[in-house]
Structures are given as C-alpha cells and as structure tokens.
Amino acid sequence: MKWRFENPISIILTIIQPLIWLLLYGAMAEQSMQNLSGGNYTAFILPGIMMLVTLACCSSGGYLNFIMKSKGSFYRMLIAPVSRSSIVLGQMLEAVLLSLVEMSILLVVSMFLSVRIGTGFTGVLLIIFLIFISAFFMSGLSYAISLCLPNEVIYETIMNLIVLSIFFTSTALFSMNNISGGLKIAIIINPFTHVINCIRSLILGSTIEWQYLLFVIGAFLLLCCGSFILAVRRLKKEMIQ
C-alpha cells in the first residue's frame, strides 16, 4: 500500500479511462438511452464503470509482481519468515484499497451529475461491500495469473483481454431485456453481471432486493475463497521452482 501511494501516477492512470466513460459516454448516450434509467443514463452505467475501475485496479496489482521480480525484492520476500498467505493477502488488499479509493472518486463525481443512491446510507454500505468482494476475487485471480506468466507484456495482454471480455459480456452499458441466444447466456454466467445488477438496483431503486443480493454475496464469497487459495498455491510453487 505504501508503494502505491508513493507512486500516485498509477492511481491516476487507472481512473482516467473510467472517468472518460462516465463523463463523455454517459453524456452522449443520455438522450438515446433515457428509457433505461428514468432519464439519467449516467446513473445507469455508473455500476458498470465502477466494475471497470475495480477490474483495472486488480490488474495493476498483479503487475506489481513483475516490478518486484525485476528489483529482486520478490525473491527476498520468498525467503523471509512470513507466511505465504500473509504475502498474498497483503498484495490483494492493496488492490482492494485502490479499488475503493477510486470508487469513492467516481461516486463523488457522479453526484455532480445528479446521481443519487436511491436506497440511502444502507445502499452505500452495501455497494462498498460488493466492490470489496469483487475486488478481492479479481485481485486473487490476477495475482495467480501473474505468477503463471513469464513477463509483464504477456500479462498485460491477457489481462486486457479478460477485463474487456468481462466488461462487454455484462450489463455494464445496457439492459439484458432485449438480448437473446448465446450472448444472453454469456451475460448470465458472467458473475460480475450480477454484482452490477445489484449495485444498479441499489442506486436506481428505493428498496433492497435482499434475496438476490444475499445470493450474489454468497456466490462471491465462495469465489473469493477460491481465488485466494489459488494465489497462495501459485506462490508456493514459485518457492519450489
């Protein structure tokens, strides 16, 4: 976390693209997409932009492994008397913290664009928690992937492919109502679709759909455990090699 805040340019770079999407794309599509969000398309796409921020932050977290390897600190860390799970958890939480910081920036900016959280303070807390578990899962996955690849160029290419695939096969920018066939199946099986839907209902709705919300939270808690275990196992394999 100290490294991240000593290099604030990394925070700026990951927030620029989502802000452009929120400000420019939201404004341009406002008139043609009014029926989706009661006249405020910015509020409609905000959950998707939040998810884009989260995915980008977690991807940059995995990139840190290559920086540490080039400087030798990664290998010194491996021989340190520290548990492997602590090493992984520390780096994952760094990506989660960055995601929450940038999400806060988006929320503040969106308020100037007339976006309001329909479910109030409870909704805000639930949005934060949904972003937390989404970032935790993705950061663990990114960490594991970074340890499987030989260099940062291949890692960046693969992560861009993963992030864009997740983003565009979700309901980040559009409603699923008029979609059918294989594309609809792809959107439904994308776990981030359901997080986006939950956040969107918390922003646009006035009541909380607890049954659906708890189902999504439960599913992501399982995914978080899986990605964390995978990341720890990959780190232990680095020690063997």
Side-chain angles (χ1 to χ4, degrees):
M1 293 180 182
K2 182 180 179 181
W3 172 89
R4 179 68 67 179
F5 288 104
E6 287 177 350
N7 297 271
I9 187 65
S10 64
I11 300 177
I12 296 173
L13 290 176
T14 51
I15 194 66
I16 287 177
Q17 183 181 2
L19 280 176
I20 291 174
W21 276 87
L22 185 67
L23 296 173
L24 297 183
Y25 182 77
M28 289 186 293
E30 181 79 38
Q31 293 183 355
S32 61
M33 305 292 283
Q34 284 183 355
N35 61 313
L36 293 179
S37 56
N40 192 343
Y41 185 61
T42 301
F44 182 85
I45 67 169
L46 179 59
I49 303 302
M50 286 181 178
M51 200 51 55
L52 180 61
V53 167
T54 301
L55 297 173
C57 291
C58 295
S59 297
S60 67
Y63 194 84
L64 181 60
N65 279 332
F66 296 103
I67 298 176
M68 295 172 65
K69 284 183 177 181
S70 66
K71 293 183 177 181
S73 57
F74 180 83
Y75 303 101
R76 291 195 297 271
M77 183 176 61
L78 288 182
I79 62 174
V82 181
S83 69
R84 307 303 95 177
S85 59
S86 296
I87 295 173
V88 174
L89 187 62
Q91 193 160 323
M92 289 175 64
L93 289 178
E94 185 272 338
V96 171
L97 175 64
L98 179 62
S99 300
L100 293 175
V101 168
E102 298 201 354
M103 186 203 71
S104 300
I105 295 173
L106 280 177
L107 280 175
V108 171
V109 171
S110 67
M111 288 180 182
F112 289 98
L113 301 174
S114 302
V115 175
R116 297 293 181 266
I117 310 299
T119 51
F121 183 70
T122 302
V124 173
L125 294 180
L126 289 171
I127 290 173
I128 292 173
F129 184 69
L130 287 167
I131 294 295
F132 178 90
I133 57 178
S134 300
F136 193 92
F137 163 62
M138 193 63 192
S139 61
L141 188 61
S142 301
Y143 189 100
I145 292 174
S146 70
L147 296 181
C148 296
L149 301 176
N151 57 66
E152 59 271 28
V153 177
I154 297 176
Y155 172 78
E156 185 176 4
T157 302
I158 290 178
M159 289 309 300
N160 283 338
L161 177 62
I162 292 174
V163 168
L164 291 177
S165 298
I166 290 174
F167 183 72
F168 286 109
T169 56
S170 71
T171 53
L173 301 177
F174 50 81
S175 172
M176 194 170 58
N177 295 336
N178 298 323
I179 299 175
S180 60
L183 182 57
K184 185 170 185 177
I185 295 174
I187 293 173
I188 291 174
I189 64 176
N190 181 352
F192 292 97
T193 289
H194 304 285
V195 177
I196 292 171
N197 289 343
C198 283
I199 295 176
R200 183 169 290 142
S201 68
L202 291 171
I203 293 175
L204 299 178
S206 57
T207 59
I208 300 174
E209 300 176 13
W210 285 108
Q211 186 175 358
Y212 182 51
L213 180 65
L214 292 176
F215 169 77
V216 173
I217 290 175
F220 260 84
L221 289 177
L222 292 176
L223 290 173
C224 288
C225 292
S227 69
F228 178 70
I229 292 171
L230 178 62
V232 172
R233 287 184 176 178
R234 284 303 312 170
L235 184 61
K236 289 181 178 178
K237 286 187 177 181
E238 286 287 322
M239 296 178 62
I240 297 174
Q241 296 172 359

